[in-house]
Amino acid sequence: MVRKFDFLVIGSGIAGMSFALKVAHKGKVALICKSGLEEANTYFAQGGVASVTNLLVDNFDKHIEDTMIAGDWISDREAVEKVVREAPAQIEELIKWGVDFDKNEKGEFDLHREGGHSEFRILHHKDNTGAEIQDSLIKAVQRHPNIEVMHGEVTEIPAEGVTVIASGPLTSDTLAEQITNLCGGALSFFDAAAPIVTRESLDMEHCFTASRYDKGTPDYINCPMTKEEYQAFWAELVKAEEAEVHGFEDSGVFEGCMPVEVMARRGEDTLRFGPLKPRGLVDPKTGREPYAVVQLRRDNADGTIYNLVGFQTHLKWGEQKRVFSMIPALHDAQYLRYGVMHRNTYLDSPRLLDRYYRLKSDPRIAFAGQMTGVEGYVESCASGFLAGIELARRLKGQAPLDLPRETAIGALGLYVSNESVGQFQPMNINFGIMPPLDHRVKGKRNKNAQLSQRSLAIIEQLKQEVLSYEDHH
C-alpha cells in the first residue's frame, strides 16, 4: 500500500520534532526515527532550566553576570547574552508543548536557586525535568492528528515529495551514503574546526596583511613571532590540558585533521615547517621572514571574522585562550568560537543550500539541524524552524519569510548558505556574523544590547506583517 504525506521528516531529535510541529497544520507529516522517541539523553537530565521570569527581583544583566562568573569568564559573552535574553521565549514554547513546570500555592513558578545563580530563577519539574520536557514534546507530536511517527532506518531519500532531512551528526552510514550521492560527495564526516576571532580585537601593530611571495590578493592577516616568542608558545602548547575527543577511533581520520598540539609534540620545529611556516612572508617592519608566522584567514565576505589557519584543536577552551594569547597579535583576541574536534556529519552548505536550508539543485528537499553545519541546540531548532516556516508558506503560495542578517536566525541561514565562505566549518549564532550598527556605541555590552534591540524590533515588525496577512486571508 502506498502512503502519501505532504512532509517527510527524517530524524526525531530537537530539530526534527520542532519542524514537524511547525508545519503539521499545513499537511500530513511522516516523522521517521531509527528507534523509539524516548531514546534520547534528554530523558536523564535531572536539573532545571534557568530563565529570568520574576522581573521584580531578577533581570537579564544579573543572569548574564552569574553565568560569566560560573564559567570563570571563559564563556563567550555574546553567546551567553543571547541565550539568557531568549530564554523566556523558549520557556513559553516549552509550556505551549505541555511542559508542566512546578508551581507554588500562589500558582507562580516554584523557582529554585542553584549553583552560581544569585537569584531564584531555576524552573523544574520535580527532580526529572529532562524527562518532563522530552515526554511533553513526544506527546505533542503524538497527539497531533497530522503527524505520524514511523520507526525504522531510512535507507533511501524519496524521489518525489517535500522531504526534510534532520538525521543529525551521527547519521547512519547507509543514509550518509545516500546524502553523499545526492550532493555530489560534499559531505564531511568529522568536525575539525579552528578558533575564530574578530578582526577588531586583533593587535594590528603586531601583524601584517600579505599572501605568500606576494602572489594573489593579500587575504591573510599574518602574525609574526620571534624565536623567543615561538619557543615560549611551543613550550606551553605541548603541555596544555586537552579535552576528551569523541568519534576518532579511525586513526586515519584523526591523522587527516591533526590537532595543533599533537603536531607540536612531534618536535619543536614541526609547526614551523607546517602551518606556522614563514616562507614567502616578509614582515614589513623588519624586511625579513619571521621565525614563525600564524596566519589568519578571512571567514566571511565582510572581513570581520578570521580563523586561525591550521589550529584545529581539542584543548580545553580555557587552555586555548591562555596559550593562543601568547601569540603577540592575539593577546586580547575576542573568540567567537573556540576550536573543537568531534564526530560530526555535515554538508558543505555554502555550495549546496540556500538561506532557507533548501537544496539548491532540488528545492523540494531541505535539511535541518546539525546536518546543515549549524552548531548547537538552539541553532538546530532555529534551522528547523526556518525550514518549516518556509515550506509552509510555499505550500500556501506565499513568498518566503525574509529574516534579514540583522536577526540571529536570518544571519545564521545567510552565513551557512554564503558561497564566499571558503573552507566551511560548523558555526553557531554570534554577533560577528551580523552587520554592525550604523553608529558607534561605547562598550561591548551596550553595543550588543543595541544589536539585540534592533533584531527584536525587526522580528516584531515581521510578526505583525505575518499576522495581518493571516487575518485577511
Side-chain angles (χ1 to χ4, degrees):
M1 181 180 68
V2 177
R3 306 173 66 184
K4 293 186 177 182
F5 294 88
D6 298 293
F7 303 95
L8 173 62
V9 182
I10 302 171
S12 57
I14 292 175
M17 285 198 282
S18 64
F19 176 89
L21 288 167
K22 293 289 184 183
V23 301
H25 65 293
K26 304 296 182 184
K28 297 185 64 176
V29 182
L31 179 63
I32 311 295
C33 60
K34 283 191 294 185
S35 53
L37 292 174
E38 299 81 6
E39 295 185 18
N41 290 333
T42 302
Y43 189 85
F44 301 101
Q46 294 180 315
V49 181
S51 175
V52 175
T53 57
N54 186 356
L55 295 176
L56 294 176
V57 296
D58 201 3
N59 57 55
F60 291 139
D61 287 339
K62 285 183 180 180
H63 193 179
I64 291 167
E65 289 306 305
D66 290 348
T67 306
M68 294 301 299
I69 292 170
D72 198 25
W73 302 98
I74 295 172
S75 304
D76 186 315
R77 189 180 187 93
E78 292 177 358
V80 170
E81 290 180 356
K82 177 167 182 57
V83 171
V84 167
R85 294 183 187 280
E86 293 191 359
Q90 301 305 316
I91 294 297
E92 290 299 319
E93 186 89 65
L94 290 173
I95 293 172
K96 185 182 74 174
W97 285 335
V99 176
D100 182 23
F101 292 110
D102 289 349
K103 294 183 174 64
N104 57 28
E105 62 277 2
K106 296 180 181 180
E108 301 168 340
F109 289 127
D110 182 21
L111 302 175
H112 286 197
R113 184 173 64 189
E114 302 172 2
H117 293 282
S118 62
E119 298 290 349
F120 289 81
R121 63 170 71 101
I122 310 299
L123 296 92
H124 61 94
H125 178 87
K126 300 180 174 60
D127 63 350
N128 58 348
T129 306
E132 169 67 13
I133 292 174
Q134 182 170 308
D135 287 344
S136 298
L137 188 55
I138 290 172
K139 289 175 183 176
V141 166
Q142 290 176 333
R143 67 174 172 256
H144 202 295
N146 281 356
I147 300 177
E148 182 173 346
V149 178
M150 305 174 70
H151 302 279
E153 181 180 351
V154 174
T155 58
E156 292 185 4
I157 299 171
E160 59 182 23
V162 175
T163 301
V164 178
I165 301 174
S167 49
L170 299 179
T171 298
S172 68
D173 292 340
T174 303
L175 183 56
E177 183 178 357
Q178 287 283 313
I179 296 171
T180 300
N181 294 336
L182 176 69
C183 299
L187 191 66
S188 296
F189 292 93
F190 55 85
D191 178 354
I196 287 180
V197 297
T198 63
R199 191 185 194 283
E200 65 180 3
S201 68
L202 302 176
D203 185 349
M204 297 304 291
E205 289 295 316
H206 288 90
C207 51
F208 59 95
T209 58
S211 58
R212 292 189 191 277
Y213 305 104
D214 289 325
K215 293 182 178 179
T217 57
D219 293 330
Y220 290 84
I221 294 178
N222 303 282
C223 309
M225 303 176 74
T226 64
K227 181 177 182 179
E228 293 75 18
E229 291 166 343
Y230 173 82
Q231 289 177 334
F233 166 75
W234 175 83
E236 292 301 312
L237 179 60
V238 295
K239 63 182 182 182
E241 189 175 359
E242 298 172 327
E244 185 180 356
V245 180
H246 302 281
F248 283 88
E249 294 82 3
D250 186 328
S251 60
V253 174
F254 190 81
E255 186 80 15
C257 53
M258 185 183 298
V260 65
E261 62 274 9
V262 174
M263 194 181 305
R265 286 198 288 269
R266 294 189 171 185
E268 182 178 320
D269 289 328
T270 302
L271 292 177
R272 292 184 58 245
F273 290 94
L276 273 69
K277 61 180 180 292
R279 293 294 301 273
L281 293 169
V282 176
D283 187 343
K285 284 189 175 181
T286 64
R288 303 189 303 273
E289 291 181 353
Y291 188 77
V293 175
V294 175
Q295 286 199 299
L296 309 181
R297 180 173 52 232
R298 188 169 65 177
D299 206 63
N300 65 348
D302 297 333
T304 57
I305 57 178
Y306 282 74
N307 74 63
L308 280 64
V309 177
F311 270 62
Q312 58 266 22
T313 178
H314 61 89
L315 293 180
K316 290 186 174 181
W317 288 0
E319 289 290 81
Q320 292 184 45
K321 175 73 171 176
R322 179 182 69 84
V323 176
F324 298 162
S325 292
M326 298 178 69
I327 302 166
L330 303 182
H331 60 82
D332 288 324
Q334 175 191 356
Y335 289 82
L336 295 179
R337 181 191 70 199
Y338 286 102
V340 293
M341 295 187 70
H342 53 79
R343 163 79 171 171
N344 192 2
T345 303
Y346 65 96
L347 300 166
D348 184 16
S349 294
R351 258 57 62 187
L352 297 170
L353 304 183
D354 67 14
R355 61 183 295 188
Y356 303 105
Y357 301 96
R358 301 174 303 194
L359 194 62
K360 294 177 183 177
S361 60
D362 189 355
R364 71 179 180 84
I365 297 176
F367 290 83
Q370 286 185 251
M371 172 69 71
T372 65
V374 300
E375 183 75 23
Y377 292 117
V378 172
E379 288 82 353
S380 293
C381 287
S383 66
F385 170 84
L386 185 55
I389 292 294
E390 190 283 323
L391 284 177
R393 290 174 65 87
R394 192 188 342 163
L395 291 175
K396 293 178 64 177
Q398 299 176 21
L401 185 64
D402 182 17
L403 286 164
R405 284 183 62 210
E406 286 78 7
T407 64
I409 295 177
L412 188 63
L414 286 164
Y415 178 84
V416 164
S417 60
N418 187 347
E419 293 187 11
S420 72
V421 176
Q423 295 182 341
F424 179 66
Q425 295 175 332
M427 173 63 76
N428 52 18
I429 293 173
N430 60 77
F431 287 112
I433 61 176
M434 301 170 72
L437 298 167
D438 58 5
H439 57 280
R440 293 185 61 84
V441 177
K442 186 176 182 180
K444 179 181 174 183
R445 179 185 298 178
N446 295 331
K447 180 182 71 174
N448 291 345
Q450 289 199 22
L451 287 168
S452 299
Q453 292 166 6
R454 181 183 67 180
S455 298
L456 292 173
I458 293 172
I459 290 173
E460 183 61 30
Q461 181 179 350
L462 287 171
K463 185 171 70 173
Q464 295 303 321
E465 292 175 1
V466 170
L467 291 176
S468 176
Y469 181 93
E470 295 289 342
D471 290 340
H472 292 87
H473 291 78

